[in-house]
Amino acid sequence: TMPREPAVLRQNILDTTAALLACGIDPSKCLLFRQSLVPEHAELAWILGCLTKVPRLLRLPQWKMKRASQNNEGSVGLLTYPVLQAADILLYKSTRVPVGEDQVLHLELAQDIAQHFNKKYGEFFPVPKAILSEL
């Protein structure tokens, strides 16, 4: 949600890919792709954003904390980022999502959005459940 220098962003993409491969991700067993090259992510985020009420997003603690750290000038991108996360989950019809405690509320938003969409348009998206790691 913050502007980045294009050269730095390109290098970050390469570094992240290298880190995933170094962690043991095997490209012969899984599909690695750059999400920004899949227009359906943004398209679904737009559709889901049209179904999501602003007060619901304003209640998310991450919005409140980041907005406070930005002198109450949080961007629209920051506000709607959880809807993009929901689109990331729902686009692939995910049923289980590994999340940390700090992301549980965002997953609950994805669950709410899926249920709202299904009620309005018929059963389409599974309602994803959290997989919480035990530390």
Side-chain angles (χ1 to χ4, degrees):
T1 58
M2 300 298 293
R4 301 278 187 245
E5 289 294 323
V8 172
L9 181 57
R10 280 190 292 278
Q11 188 59 51
N12 287 347
I13 291 168
L14 293 174
D15 291 347
T16 299
T17 304
L20 289 170
L21 295 172
C23 287
I25 298 287
D26 183 351
S28 69
K29 295 181 180 179
C30 65
L31 181 62
L32 289 178
F33 62 94
R34 202 165 82 200
Q35 177 183 321
S36 60
L37 296 178
V38 181
E40 290 83 359
H41 283 270
E43 292 166 1
L44 183 58
W46 173 259
I47 292 166
L48 300 180
C50 291
L51 298 173
T52 305
K53 304 296 182 200
V54 172
R56 176 72 168 88
L57 298 175
L58 292 173
R59 289 194 304 268
L60 292 171
Q62 287 87 344
W63 161 255
K64 292 177 185 178
M65 290 185 312
K66 287 197 176 186
R67 196 183 88 199
S69 71
Q70 295 177 3
N71 298 322
N72 290 322
E73 293 185 10
S75 69
V76 171
L78 181 61
L79 180 65
T80 60
Y81 185 72
V83 178
L84 178 62
Q85 286 180 309
D88 296 343
I89 293 165
L90 299 177
L91 182 64
Y92 298 99
K93 296 193 173 186
S94 303
T95 57
R96 303 263 189 249
V97 181
V99 294
E101 288 289 337
D102 63 328
Q103 292 296 309
V104 168
L105 293 176
H106 286 189
L107 183 61
E108 288 175 1
L109 176 68
Q111 293 167 335
D112 292 348
I113 290 172
Q115 290 168 339
H116 180 70
F117 187 97
N118 291 343
K119 184 177 179 183
K120 189 168 184 76
Y121 299 108
E123 290 297 315
F124 188 76
F125 293 117
V127 178
K129 294 182 178 18
I131 299 173
L132 294 170
S133 60
E134 295 179 22
L135 298 177

